[in-house]
Amino acid sequence: MAEESNEIRAVARLPCTQGSRLWFCWGLGTEIRFCEIKHPQSNQGGSRPYRSTVVWSAPSSSHKALAYAVAPLQTSLLELRANSGLRGDAAYEAILSYSVKVREHLAKERELGDSMLVGVELAIWHLLEVFYINAARSEGFIVQDMVTWLARNGSALDEAMQSHGLAARLDALLSSARPDVLDDYWPCLRHHIALGQTEAALQLLEAHDAKRLQLGSAQPSLMPQYELLDVLYVLVRQMPKFKHSGGESSSGREFDNMAEYLQYRATYQQQCRAVPHDCKGLVDSCAAINPKTSAGVLSVFDILGGQPGTASDPTTNWLEMLVAELVHVHPNLKAQLHLRSLMEQCRQAHPIQEGAWVLQLLYEMLEAILDQEVQRVVEVLSKTGVVSPWFMAHVYEVMRAYPRTEPVIERPLPLFGGDQVEYWRLLFADTLICQQGMWRLAVEYLAWCPLYGADAVETFMEALPFGPLASGGPRQLSKALHVCHSHGLSSTSTVLCRSAAAAAWYAGRLGEAAGLLLRARDERRLSAALAPVVQQVESLLAANVGNYQVSVLPLPGSEELEGLLEHLQPSSSSSGAASGHEIEEGRARKSSPSQQNAALTFVGGFLRLQRAAAAVLEARKEAEAQGRLLAAYSSVRDAIMGLLHSGSVPRTMLLPLLFYAVPFLEGPLLAFSHDDIQQLLRSLSSALLCHEGKRHTAGLHERHVKDVRLALARALARSHVYAAGTAAAV
């Protein structure tokens, strides 16, 4: 067991200039950020500042892998519990399936990982599964469960205590050319038989020289040994075992009824005790050839026959003695009624030695389990520091399977408010959140915390960096926004978009910033961001007054701003003409929060207009492009009428915009309808009122206004002609 110490433990050492000052602040989760600065008194340091972060309680690579693997299982279990309530057999099957899958991941990680404690966690998880899940369905008979548990986890416990255990002894014997001549052969065989591990015992018997003898061999001296070993082999294979949902075995005769099991066991033990008498001649012949084999076989029969004290003799600690007593002396013992007293007897026979902290931990944990004190089980596990926060964040699901444990687990903790399950999930998420590439997984754990999870996620997400020094860039932002959407964190999504927009804005990426502000529905900041662009558009339109040719106005950064078009709704003028009243209504609605941002609509409409004008110039270069030219003129009409209909055009820009439309009104094709031109005339009247007394300062002269009015009059006349006889040309 880990010993408590009051000594201060160094987490990290930082290289700082002598005499400087170290500035620090708390980072995300278990992280502190440091920066060396100049000392105000000594005036030293800060010339080449040292910057770093220090992380403590970081999860191991094994626990990171386990978190990734188990998180989907946990989510499925929580969703199933929330949707169906999980009662009765359905709850048992769901929790058992969850526990077994987690145990499989632990076993896999123990083989592949580098953390010795994962093996201990696997053993503890499996033991809790035996008592909290399997025992409820086996009426408390846990013999075969304990045999299976020790067989699978014994090597992990030995590794944790750095001892040469039974599994290592078996491997050493089986790797030998002649294991039966080694001194540890029969003690190891008796040890496996005592613990009910018949598969390993059969492996050792098959490795014996005499057992490998083939009939017809030219070595008749080995035949008595072969026959005696064969009797033992057959009886070991017929060893009775009580089978239920928890125990698994590939050898032995299995029973699922305790009365039948005990009846067969009594007959079996009597048969094993009778072998030395019934096969006396064979035993004597074997003893004459190989006394070691003869004595070893008889000692195994003593254990199988239930001779007093023989089962516990090979064991080396209280845990092994407990399993041996369950297998050979008390097979029908019920865990909650009699196991506690048997544990105490085994501990008295095998006191826990110094350094065997795993045995002490398991003893205290079993005591708490048998006393039905779930909270004490948690305290035993948490105070040792052996199991990780990941383990504690998930193990409560196993404990829930036992009756009357859920109220204890869900009881709010003092000074915390939430239950202990949420406490451990928050703690593990704290260790994950500052790890490279693990923040999304940490958010998953926080999503399972009903009390503090949402606030913790918002705090973390709002602290994500999106400036020039941030890693991940747009991909990280996209992932963060996806997480916000998945968990319904709309306010956090807004904050993230604002932060990223500010970073893009300061970096000169105005189009990206505008798109993010639009996603954040921040009308005020979006207008502020687009205000310089609106001024540039106004300057370009004003400078174009007096140009009677179709032209594309060079707006700086227009390529980047093109991305804004996908955020705009299609112009309603593209499907039909809008009335002048609708245009005025659109101008009145531009300040409504429910409508699109006026600056964005104006800039987007101008970009569409420039794209259409470029298409007109391109189509004019081709001799046979009448269809393309008509489509381009129609796009120009849609862009101009859309701008007027949206009400986003500043009144000071109405005249320059109408003058920009003159070459399209005077062009070879007229895409404007009669109603369109009437609306343009009304817009001209409104513009004249706005420019009253200010035309020259705006770069406009009387002749420019007359030219616009003349172009509109000509276009109106042409529209009458087309409507009367050549409407098809339009």
Side-chain angles (χ1 to χ4, degrees), residues 597-618:
N597 182 275
L600 176 64
T601 305
F602 177 61
V603 173
F606 178 79
L607 292 174
R608 285 199 182 104
L609 179 57
Q610 297 310 297
R611 183 187 294 177
V616 170
L617 293 175
E618 189 68 26

mmCIF file with all atom_site columns, all heavy atoms in Angstrom, residues 597-618:
data_model
loop_
_atom_site.group_PDB
_atom_site.id
_atom_site.type_symbol
_atom_site.label_atom_id
_atom_site.label_alt_id
_atom_site.label_comp_id
_atom_site.label_asym_id
_atom_site.label_entity_id
_atom_site.label_seq_id
_atom_site.pdbx_PDB_ins_code
_atom_site.Cartn_x
_atom_site.Cartn_y
_atom_site.Cartn_z
_atom_site.occupancy
_atom_site.B_iso_or_equiv
_atom_site.pdbx_formal_charge
_atom_site.auth_seq_id
_atom_site.auth_comp_id
_atom_site.auth_asym_id
_atom_site.auth_atom_id
_atom_site.pdbx_PDB_model_num
ATOM 1   N N   . ASN A 1 597 ? -28.054 41.409 -41.462 1.00 0.00 ? 597 ASN A N   1
ATOM 2   C CA  . ASN A 1 597 ? -27.311 42.618 -41.170 1.00 0.00 ? 597 ASN A CA  1
ATOM 3   C C   . ASN A 1 597 ? -27.247 43.491 -42.420 1.00 0.00 ? 597 ASN A C   1
ATOM 4   O O   . ASN A 1 597 ? -26.943 43.018 -43.522 1.00 0.00 ? 597 ASN A O   1
ATOM 5   C CB  . ASN A 1 597 ? -25.907 42.231 -40.702 1.00 0.00 ? 597 ASN A CB  1
ATOM 6   C CG  . ASN A 1 597 ? -25.084 43.420 -40.323 1.00 0.00 ? 597 ASN A CG  1
ATOM 7   O OD1 . ASN A 1 597 ? -24.458 44.031 -41.180 1.00 0.00 ? 597 ASN A OD1 1
ATOM 8   N ND2 . ASN A 1 597 ? -25.077 43.746 -39.039 1.00 0.00 ? 597 ASN A ND2 1
ATOM 9   N N   . ALA A 1 598 ? -27.536 44.802 -42.253 1.00 0.00 ? 598 ALA A N   1
ATOM 10  C CA  . ALA A 1 598 ? -27.609 45.708 -43.406 1.00 0.00 ? 598 ALA A CA  1
ATOM 11  C C   . ALA A 1 598 ? -26.263 45.843 -44.097 1.00 0.00 ? 598 ALA A C   1
ATOM 12  O O   . ALA A 1 598 ? -26.172 45.817 -45.336 1.00 0.00 ? 598 ALA A O   1
ATOM 13  C CB  . ALA A 1 598 ? -28.110 47.079 -42.940 1.00 0.00 ? 598 ALA A CB  1
ATOM 14  N N   . ALA A 1 599 ? -25.187 45.994 -43.322 1.00 0.00 ? 599 ALA A N   1
ATOM 15  C CA  . ALA A 1 599 ? -23.866 46.132 -43.928 1.00 0.00 ? 599 ALA A CA  1
ATOM 16  C C   . ALA A 1 599 ? -23.485 44.870 -44.692 1.00 0.00 ? 599 ALA A C   1
ATOM 17  O O   . ALA A 1 599 ? -22.929 44.929 -45.798 1.00 0.00 ? 599 ALA A O   1
ATOM 18  C CB  . ALA A 1 599 ? -22.827 46.432 -42.842 1.00 0.00 ? 599 ALA A CB  1
ATOM 19  N N   . LEU A 1 600 ? -23.789 43.706 -44.095 1.00 0.00 ? 600 LEU A N   1
ATOM 20  C CA  . LEU A 1 600 ? -23.475 42.444 -44.770 1.00 0.00 ? 600 LEU A CA  1
ATOM 21  C C   . LEU A 1 600 ? -24.275 42.313 -46.060 1.00 0.00 ? 600 LEU A C   1
ATOM 22  O O   . LEU A 1 600 ? -23.750 41.891 -47.101 1.00 0.00 ? 600 LEU A O   1
ATOM 23  C CB  . LEU A 1 600 ? -23.773 41.277 -43.826 1.00 0.00 ? 600 LEU A CB  1
ATOM 24  C CG  . LEU A 1 600 ? -23.587 39.875 -44.411 1.00 0.00 ? 600 LEU A CG  1
ATOM 25  C CD1 . LEU A 1 600 ? -22.131 39.634 -44.772 1.00 0.00 ? 600 LEU A CD1 1
ATOM 26  C CD2 . LEU A 1 600 ? -24.069 38.812 -43.434 1.00 0.00 ? 600 LEU A CD2 1
ATOM 27  N N   . THR A 1 601 ? -25.561 42.663 -46.003 1.00 0.00 ? 601 THR A N   1
ATOM 28  C CA  . THR A 1 601 ? -26.404 42.570 -47.198 1.00 0.00 ? 601 THR A CA  1
ATOM 29  C C   . THR A 1 601 ? -25.910 43.508 -48.299 1.00 0.00 ? 601 THR A C   1
ATOM 30  O O   . THR A 1 601 ? -25.876 43.144 -49.482 1.00 0.00 ? 601 THR A O   1
ATOM 31  C CB  . THR A 1 601 ? -27.855 42.904 -46.827 1.00 0.00 ? 601 THR A CB  1
ATOM 32  O OG1 . THR A 1 601 ? -28.283 42.049 -45.767 1.00 0.00 ? 601 THR A OG1 1
ATOM 33  C CG2 . THR A 1 601 ? -28.774 42.710 -48.018 1.00 0.00 ? 601 THR A CG2 1
ATOM 34  N N   . PHE A 1 602 ? -25.507 44.719 -47.909 1.00 0.00 ? 602 PHE A N   1
ATOM 35  C CA  . PHE A 1 602 ? -25.025 45.687 -48.893 1.00 0.00 ? 602 PHE A CA  1
ATOM 36  C C   . PHE A 1 602 ? -23.728 45.210 -49.543 1.00 0.00 ? 602 PHE A C   1
ATOM 37  O O   . PHE A 1 602 ? -23.588 45.231 -50.771 1.00 0.00 ? 602 PHE A O   1
ATOM 38  C CB  . PHE A 1 602 ? -24.821 47.041 -48.215 1.00 0.00 ? 602 PHE A CB  1
ATOM 39  C CG  . PHE A 1 602 ? -24.253 48.092 -49.126 1.00 0.00 ? 602 PHE A CG  1
ATOM 40  C CD1 . PHE A 1 602 ? -24.926 48.495 -50.276 1.00 0.00 ? 602 PHE A CD1 1
ATOM 41  C CD2 . PHE A 1 602 ? -23.026 48.674 -48.854 1.00 0.00 ? 602 PHE A CD2 1
ATOM 42  C CE1 . PHE A 1 602 ? -24.397 49.456 -51.121 1.00 0.00 ? 602 PHE A CE1 1
ATOM 43  C CE2 . PHE A 1 602 ? -22.488 49.638 -49.691 1.00 0.00 ? 602 PHE A CE2 1
ATOM 44  C CZ  . PHE A 1 602 ? -23.174 50.032 -50.829 1.00 0.00 ? 602 PHE A CZ  1
ATOM 45  N N   . VAL A 1 603 ? -22.782 44.745 -48.712 1.00 0.00 ? 603 VAL A N   1
ATOM 46  C CA  . VAL A 1 603 ? -21.507 44.268 -49.261 1.00 0.00 ? 603 VAL A CA  1
ATOM 47  C C   . VAL A 1 603 ? -21.735 43.034 -50.119 1.00 0.00 ? 603 VAL A C   1
ATOM 48  O O   . VAL A 1 603 ? -21.164 42.897 -51.218 1.00 0.00 ? 603 VAL A O   1
ATOM 49  C CB  . VAL A 1 603 ? -20.512 43.969 -48.119 1.00 0.00 ? 603 VAL A CB  1
ATOM 50  C CG1 . VAL A 1 603 ? -19.255 43.310 -48.669 1.00 0.00 ? 603 VAL A CG1 1
ATOM 51  C CG2 . VAL A 1 603 ? -20.163 45.246 -47.369 1.00 0.00 ? 603 VAL A CG2 1
ATOM 52  N N   . GLY A 1 604 ? -22.580 42.101 -49.624 1.00 0.00 ? 604 GLY A N   1
ATOM 53  C CA  . GLY A 1 604 ? -22.857 40.898 -50.411 1.00 0.00 ? 604 GLY A CA  1
ATOM 54  C C   . GLY A 1 604 ? -23.525 41.215 -51.730 1.00 0.00 ? 604 GLY A C   1
ATOM 55  O O   . GLY A 1 604 ? -23.192 40.634 -52.773 1.00 0.00 ? 604 GLY A O   1
ATOM 56  N N   . GLY A 1 605 ? -24.502 42.174 -51.704 1.00 0.00 ? 605 GLY A N   1
ATOM 57  C CA  . GLY A 1 605 ? -25.151 42.575 -52.950 1.00 0.00 ? 605 GLY A CA  1
ATOM 58  C C   . GLY A 1 605 ? -24.171 43.217 -53.920 1.00 0.00 ? 605 GLY A C   1
ATOM 59  O O   . GLY A 1 605 ? -24.245 42.988 -55.141 1.00 0.00 ? 605 GLY A O   1
ATOM 60  N N   . PHE A 1 606 ? -23.257 44.024 -53.406 1.00 0.00 ? 606 PHE A N   1
ATOM 61  C CA  . PHE A 1 606 ? -22.256 44.649 -54.274 1.00 0.00 ? 606 PHE A CA  1
ATOM 62  C C   . PHE A 1 606 ? -21.344 43.590 -54.902 1.00 0.00 ? 606 PHE A C   1
ATOM 63  O O   . PHE A 1 606 ? -20.994 43.686 -56.088 1.00 0.00 ? 606 PHE A O   1
ATOM 64  C CB  . PHE A 1 606 ? -21.435 45.640 -53.452 1.00 0.00 ? 606 PHE A CB  1
ATOM 65  C CG  . PHE A 1 606 ? -20.349 46.308 -54.246 1.00 0.00 ? 606 PHE A CG  1
ATOM 66  C CD1 . PHE A 1 606 ? -20.624 47.360 -55.106 1.00 0.00 ? 606 PHE A CD1 1
ATOM 67  C CD2 . PHE A 1 606 ? -19.033 45.870 -54.146 1.00 0.00 ? 606 PHE A CD2 1
ATOM 68  C CE1 . PHE A 1 606 ? -19.624 47.964 -55.847 1.00 0.00 ? 606 PHE A CE1 1
ATOM 69  C CE2 . PHE A 1 606 ? -18.029 46.470 -54.884 1.00 0.00 ? 606 PHE A CE2 1
ATOM 70  C CZ  . PHE A 1 606 ? -18.317 47.523 -55.740 1.00 0.00 ? 606 PHE A CZ  1
ATOM 71  N N   . LEU A 1 607 ? -20.968 42.569 -54.121 1.00 0.00 ? 607 LEU A N   1
ATOM 72  C CA  . LEU A 1 607 ? -20.114 41.509 -54.669 1.00 0.00 ? 607 LEU A CA  1
ATOM 73  C C   . LEU A 1 607 ? -20.839 40.737 -55.763 1.00 0.00 ? 607 LEU A C   1
ATOM 74  O O   . LEU A 1 607 ? -20.244 40.378 -56.793 1.00 0.00 ? 607 LEU A O   1
ATOM 75  C CB  . LEU A 1 607 ? -19.685 40.558 -53.543 1.00 0.00 ? 607 LEU A CB  1
ATOM 76  C CG  . LEU A 1 607 ? -18.733 41.139 -52.487 1.00 0.00 ? 607 LEU A CG  1
ATOM 77  C CD1 . LEU A 1 607 ? -18.500 40.136 -51.362 1.00 0.00 ? 607 LEU A CD1 1
ATOM 78  C CD2 . LEU A 1 607 ? -17.404 41.531 -53.125 1.00 0.00 ? 607 LEU A CD2 1
ATOM 79  N N   . ARG A 1 608 ? -22.134 40.488 -55.573 1.00 0.00 ? 608 ARG A N   1
ATOM 80  C CA  . ARG A 1 608 ? -22.916 39.817 -56.619 1.00 0.00 ? 608 ARG A CA  1
ATOM 81  C C   . ARG A 1 608 ? -22.980 40.689 -57.884 1.00 0.00 ? 608 ARG A C   1
ATOM 82  O O   . ARG A 1 608 ? -22.894 40.179 -59.009 1.00 0.00 ? 608 ARG A O   1
ATOM 83  C CB  . ARG A 1 608 ? -24.336 39.537 -56.107 1.00 0.00 ? 608 ARG A CB  1
ATOM 84  C CG  . ARG A 1 608 ? -24.440 38.392 -55.109 1.00 0.00 ? 608 ARG A CG  1
ATOM 85  C CD  . ARG A 1 608 ? -25.891 37.899 -55.032 1.00 0.00 ? 608 ARG A CD  1
ATOM 86  N NE  . ARG A 1 608 ? -26.025 36.845 -54.048 1.00 0.00 ? 608 ARG A NE  1
ATOM 87  C CZ  . ARG A 1 608 ? -26.558 37.006 -52.846 1.00 0.00 ? 608 ARG A CZ  1
ATOM 88  N NH1 . ARG A 1 608 ? -26.991 38.205 -52.482 1.00 0.00 ? 608 ARG A NH1 1
ATOM 89  N NH2 . ARG A 1 608 ? -26.659 36.000 -52.017 1.00 0.00 ? 608 ARG A NH2 1
ATOM 90  N N   . LEU A 1 609 ? -23.141 41.983 -57.663 1.00 0.00 ? 609 LEU A N   1
ATOM 91  C CA  . LEU A 1 609 ? -23.211 42.901 -58.807 1.00 0.00 ? 609 LEU A CA  1
ATOM 92  C C   . LEU A 1 609 ? -21.898 42.903 -59.584 1.00 0.00 ? 609 LEU A C   1
ATOM 93  O O   . LEU A 1 609 ? -21.901 42.888 -60.833 1.00 0.00 ? 609 LEU A O   1
ATOM 94  C CB  . LEU A 1 609 ? -23.543 44.310 -58.306 1.00 0.00 ? 609 LEU A CB  1
ATOM 95  C CG  . LEU A 1 609 ? -23.638 45.420 -59.360 1.00 0.00 ? 609 LEU A CG  1
ATOM 96  C CD1 . LEU A 1 609 ? -24.674 45.075 -60.419 1.00 0.00 ? 609 LEU A CD1 1
ATOM 97  C CD2 . LEU A 1 609 ? -23.965 46.757 -58.691 1.00 0.00 ? 609 LEU A CD2 1
ATOM 98  N N   . GLN A 1 610 ? -20.773 42.875 -58.881 1.00 0.00 ? 610 GLN A N   1
ATOM 99  C CA  . GLN A 1 610 ? -19.485 42.858 -59.563 1.00 0.00 ? 610 GLN A CA  1
ATOM 100 C C   . GLN A 1 610 ? -19.256 41.543 -60.301 1.00 0.00 ? 610 GLN A C   1
ATOM 101 O O   . GLN A 1 610 ? -18.685 41.509 -61.397 1.00 0.00 ? 610 GLN A O   1
ATOM 102 C CB  . GLN A 1 610 ? -18.355 43.097 -58.553 1.00 0.00 ? 610 GLN A CB  1
ATOM 103 C CG  . GLN A 1 610 ? -18.404 44.458 -57.873 1.00 0.00 ? 610 GLN A CG  1
ATOM 104 C CD  . GLN A 1 610 ? -18.545 45.584 -58.894 1.00 0.00 ? 610 GLN A CD  1
ATOM 105 O OE1 . GLN A 1 610 ? -17.676 45.799 -59.736 1.00 0.00 ? 610 GLN A OE1 1
ATOM 106 N NE2 . GLN A 1 610 ? -19.670 46.295 -58.853 1.00 0.00 ? 610 GLN A NE2 1
ATOM 107 N N   . ARG A 1 611 ? -19.713 40.455 -59.689 1.00 0.00 ? 611 ARG A N   1
ATOM 108 C CA  . ARG A 1 611 ? -19.594 39.159 -60.370 1.00 0.00 ? 611 ARG A CA  1
ATOM 109 C C   . ARG A 1 611 ? -20.414 39.157 -61.652 1.00 0.00 ? 611 ARG A C   1
ATOM 110 O O   . ARG A 1 611 ? -19.970 38.645 -62.695 1.00 0.00 ? 611 ARG A O   1
ATOM 111 C CB  . ARG A 1 611 ? -20.059 38.053 -59.416 1.00 0.00 ? 611 ARG A CB  1
ATOM 112 C CG  . ARG A 1 611 ? -19.910 36.658 -59.984 1.00 0.00 ? 611 ARG A CG  1
ATOM 113 C CD  . ARG A 1 611 ? -20.543 35.616 -59.068 1.00 0.00 ? 611 ARG A CD  1
ATOM 114 N NE  . ARG A 1 611 ? -19.843 35.512 -57.792 1.00 0.00 ? 611 ARG A NE  1
ATOM 115 C CZ  . ARG A 1 611 ? -20.242 34.711 -56.806 1.00 0.00 ? 611 ARG A CZ  1
ATOM 116 N NH1 . ARG A 1 611 ? -21.348 33.986 -56.948 1.00 0.00 ? 611 ARG A NH1 1
ATOM 117 N NH2 . ARG A 1 611 ? -19.547 34.640 -55.691 1.00 0.00 ? 611 ARG A NH2 1
ATOM 118 N N   . ALA A 1 612 ? -21.628 39.741 -61.609 1.00 0.00 ? 612 ALA A N   1
ATOM 119 C CA  . ALA A 1 612 ? -22.479 39.787 -62.808 1.00 0.00 ? 612 ALA A CA  1
ATOM 120 C C   . ALA A 1 612 ? -21.881 40.710 -63.867 1.00 0.00 ? 612 ALA A C   1
ATOM 121 O O   . ALA A 1 612 ? -21.920 40.406 -65.077 1.00 0.00 ? 612 ALA A O   1
ATOM 122 C CB  . ALA A 1 612 ? -23.878 40.251 -62.417 1.00 0.00 ? 612 ALA A CB  1
ATOM 123 N N   . ALA A 1 613 ? -21.309 41.855 -63.450 1.00 0.00 ? 613 ALA A N   1
ATOM 124 C CA  . ALA A 1 613 ? -20.690 42.772 -64.417 1.00 0.00 ? 613 ALA A CA  1
ATOM 125 C C   . ALA A 1 613 ? -19.504 42.108 -65.104 1.00 0.00 ? 613 ALA A C   1
ATOM 126 O O   . ALA A 1 613 ? -19.289 42.287 -66.319 1.00 0.00 ? 613 ALA A O   1
ATOM 127 C CB  . ALA A 1 613 ? -20.248 44.047 -63.697 1.00 0.00 ? 613 ALA A CB  1
ATOM 128 N N   . ALA A 1 614 ? -18.726 41.331 -64.351 1.00 0.00 ? 614 ALA A N   1
ATOM 129 C CA  . ALA A 1 614 ? -17.594 40.612 -64.948 1.00 0.00 ? 614 ALA A CA  1
ATOM 130 C C   . ALA A 1 614 ? -18.088 39.591 -65.964 1.00 0.00 ? 614 ALA A C   1
ATOM 131 O O   . ALA A 1 614 ? -17.462 39.385 -67.016 1.00 0.00 ? 614 ALA A O   1
ATOM 132 C CB  . ALA A 1 614 ? -16.780 39.933 -63.846 1.00 0.00 ? 614 ALA A CB  1
ATOM 133 N N   . ALA A 1 615 ? -19.240 38.968 -65.685 1.00 0.00 ? 615 ALA A N   1
ATOM 134 C CA  . ALA A 1 615 ? -19.801 37.999 -66.630 1.00 0.00 ? 615 ALA A CA  1
ATOM 135 C C   . ALA A 1 615 ? -20.251 38.685 -67.913 1.00 0.00 ? 615 ALA A C   1
ATOM 136 O O   . ALA A 1 615 ? -20.118 38.137 -69.018 1.00 0.00 ? 615 ALA A O   1
ATOM 137 C CB  . ALA A 1 615 ? -20.980 37.260 -65.976 1.00 0.00 ? 615 ALA A CB  1
ATOM 138 N N   . VAL A 1 616 ? -20.785 39.927 -67.786 1.00 0.00 ? 616 VAL A N   1
ATOM 139 C CA  . VAL A 1 616 ? -21.191 40.677 -68.987 1.00 0.00 ? 616 VAL A CA  1
ATOM 140 C C   . VAL A 1 616 ? -19.977 40.979 -69.853 1.00 0.00 ? 616 VAL A C   1
ATOM 141 O O   . VAL A 1 616 ? -19.991 40.796 -71.082 1.00 0.00 ? 616 VAL A O   1
ATOM 142 C CB  . VAL A 1 616 ? -21.911 41.975 -68.573 1.00 0.00 ? 616 VAL A CB  1
ATOM 143 C CG1 . VAL A 1 616 ? -22.111 42.883 -69.791 1.00 0.00 ? 616 VAL A CG1 1
ATOM 144 C CG2 . VAL A 1 616 ? -23.253 41.657 -67.932 1.00 0.00 ? 616 VAL A CG2 1
ATOM 145 N N   . LEU A 1 617 ? -18.888 41.458 -69.241 1.00 0.00 ? 617 LEU A N   1
ATOM 146 C CA  . LEU A 1 617 ? -17.677 41.759 -70.002 1.00 0.00 ? 617 LEU A CA  1
ATOM 147 C C   . LEU A 1 617 ? -17.116 40.504 -70.661 1.00 0.00 ? 617 LEU A C   1
ATOM 148 O O   . LEU A 1 617 ? -16.630 40.554 -71.806 1.00 0.00 ? 617 LEU A O   1
ATOM 149 C CB  . LEU A 1 617 ? -16.635 42.376 -69.077 1.00 0.00 ? 617 LEU A CB  1
ATOM 150 C CG  . LEU A 1 617 ? -16.970 43.775 -68.522 1.00 0.00 ? 617 LEU A CG  1
ATOM 151 C CD1 . LEU A 1 617 ? -15.895 44.214 -67.523 1.00 0.00 ? 617 LEU A CD1 1
ATOM 152 C CD2 . LEU A 1 617 ? -17.082 44.783 -69.666 1.00 0.00 ? 617 LEU A CD2 1
ATOM 153 N N   . GLU A 1 618 ? -17.175 39.377 -69.973 1.00 0.00 ? 618 GLU A N   1
ATOM 154 C CA  . GLU A 1 618 ? -16.651 38.134 -70.535 1.00 0.00 ? 618 GLU A CA  1
ATOM 155 C C   . GLU A 1 618 ? -17.495 37.668 -71.708 1.00 0.00 ? 618 GLU A C   1
ATOM 156 O O   . GLU A 1 618 ? -16.975 37.201 -72.727 1.00 0.00 ? 618 GLU A O   1
ATOM 157 C CB  . GLU A 1 618 ? -16.621 37.062 -69.436 1.00 0.00 ? 618 GLU A CB  1
ATOM 158 C CG  . GLU A 1 618 ? -15.899 35.782 -69.816 1.00 0.00 ? 618 GLU A CG  1
ATOM 159 C CD  . GLU A 1 618 ? -14.412 35.982 -69.995 1.00 0.00 ? 618 GLU A CD  1
ATOM 160 O OE1 . GLU A 1 618 ? -13.854 36.928 -69.377 1.00 0.00 ? 618 GLU A OE1 1
ATOM 161 O OE2 . GLU A 1 618 ? -13.804 35.207 -70.753 1.00 0.00 ? 618 GLU A OE2 1
#
